[in-house]
Amino acid sequence: MHNHGITRRDMLKAISAGSALLTMPALAQDSSIRAISAFTPGGLTEQFFRPLWAQAQTVLGQRTVIEYKPGATGAIALDFVAKAPPDGRTVLQFYSSMLLTPYLEAAPYDLLSDYTYIIALADVPYGVAVAANSPYKSLDDLFKAARSKPINYAIAGVGTGGHVMMEDALRRKDVKMTAVPYKGVEYIPALIGGHIDAAVGSTSWGAQVKGGNLRVLGYFTKDRIPAYPDVPSATELGLGILPAFPLGIVGPRGMAPATVKRLHDALKDAIDTPVMEKAMYDSGTPKMYKSTAEFTAWVPQAFASHGELLNRLDLAKFKPMRRA
C-alpha cells in the first residue's frame, strides 16, 4: 500500500483545523481570509482547497471562509476578486480553466493586469467517465457508438477545461457528440442514473469511482494517474496533450509584496504536508508548484495558448478585454 507518511494523529489535527473553515454567504468584519470559489460546493473545493486552507491557517493564524460565487464560467468570482481591496483578505481559488473565460464571456476585467498570481499548487487532470453499468468499456467504444447514433456528454460548464479537452479529442477522432452543460458536479447523479451517456470532468468524481458507481474510460494526461493506475492516458489513447490546468491562489492587483510572500509561504508549507500529500493522491491532483514569479510569468503564455485552442475549436466568442 502506498505510504504517505500520515498518521491518525495527523488526520485528527487536520479535522480539528478544518473545523475553523466556515462556509457562509457573507463575512463579518474580522481578520478572516475570504477564499472565493467560482464553483458550487463539492468537487475539488472539498477535496483540495478545504484541507489546503486547514493546513495553511495554522501558519497564518487566520481562519479561512470559503465563499461560493458560481456562474458565468467563473467570471462572477473573477470580477468580485478583481474589485476587492488588495489587503490579502480576499483571494480566489483559481482554476486555470478560468483563463478561457474572457474568450467565452464579455468579462469586465483584464486577466493579465487585474490580479496578483500568488502561487500555483497542483494540476487538474480531466477525463471521461460513464456509469458503471454502461455498455461502453473504453473511449473507443464510446467514439464508435457516436458514429452510429446520437451520444451526449455532460460538462461542468461551456468552455471549461474538460469541455475543451473533449472537443479537441472529438476533432482528432472525427467524431461528433453533444455537450450538455451542468452546474459543477451536479452531472454525477444524472450520469449514475443513466440520464446522460458520459461525462467529462476532473478527479472530483473519485468517491463514486471507488464506490463502484462510475467507470473512468481515460484521462487527458501524458501519463497515467497514480491513484487510477488502470485508466489509460491520452498518450496511450492517441490523443493530443493539451495545456496544463493548474490550481492556484490569486488575489487582486496591487497587493503588497510582504502580503504576497506571507500567503505564498504559508500555502507552500501547506502543500508539502503529509495531509495534503494524501489529499492530492486521493483526489488524483498531482503537485504542480509555481512560485509567485513563475506563476506570473506563466499566465500570459497560457492565456495566449488557451485562446488559440478555443479559436481552433470554434468555441471563442469574445476578444478579451485589455487595459490600456
Side-chain angles (χ1 to χ4, degrees), residues 7 67 72 139 170 203 214 227 241 255 286-287 294:
T7 66
E67 191 170 331
L139 267 181
L170 293 173
T203 51
L214 296 178
I241 307 300
M255 292 177 65
K287 184 177 177 181
E294 292 168 337

Side-chain angles (χ1 to χ4, degrees), residues 150-169:
I151 294 288
N152 54 31
Y153 71 97
I155 55 175
V158 174
T160 51
H163 182 203
V164 169
M165 289 187 170
M166 185 62 166
E167 287 299 314
D168 182 76

Side-chain angles (χ1 to χ4, degrees), residues 47-187:
Q47 296 177 13
F48 181 84
F49 283 113
R50 192 169 291 278
L52 174 74
W53 287 116
Q55 297 300 298
Q57 69 185 11
T58 61
V59 177
L60 292 167
Q62 294 170 278
R63 65 172 185 156
T64 304
V65 176
I66 297 176
E67 191 170 331
Y68 297 95
K69 295 189 179 295
T73 323
I76 294 172
L78 282 159
D79 187 48
F80 180 84
V81 172
K83 295 173 180 176
D87 56 9
R89 289 186 51 210
T90 303
V91 296
L92 177 69
Q93 295 180 167
F94 183 79
Y95 294 64
S96 61
S97 58
M98 291 174 177
L99 295 173
L100 303 170
T101 304
Y103 297 98
L104 304 168
E105 305 281 346
Y109 50 80
D110 182 346
L111 265 177
L112 302 186
S113 66
D114 286 351
Y115 301 93
T116 300
Y117 291 89
I118 299 168
I119 187 171
L121 298 159
D123 193 11
V124 181
Y126 288 97
V128 182
V130 295
N133 60 358
S134 167
Y136 311 122
K137 308 298 183 184
S138 67
L139 267 181
D140 279 343
D141 289 346
L142 185 67
F143 292 161
K144 286 177 183 176
R147 291 190 176 98
S148 61
K149 64 179 181 179
I151 294 288
N152 54 31
Y153 71 97
I155 55 175
V158 174
T160 51
H163 182 203
V164 169
M165 289 187 170
M166 185 62 166
E167 287 299 314
D168 182 76
L170 293 173
R171 289 283 183 98
R172 291 173 186 271
K173 295 295 184 179
D174 193 25
V175 176
K176 291 186 178 180
M177 292 170 55
T178 301
V180 180
Y182 284 77
K183 290 183 179 180
V185 294
E186 291 179 4
Y187 64 82

Side-chain angles (χ1 to χ4, degrees), residues 8 67 237 307:
R8 183 172 180 272
E67 191 170 331
L237 296 167

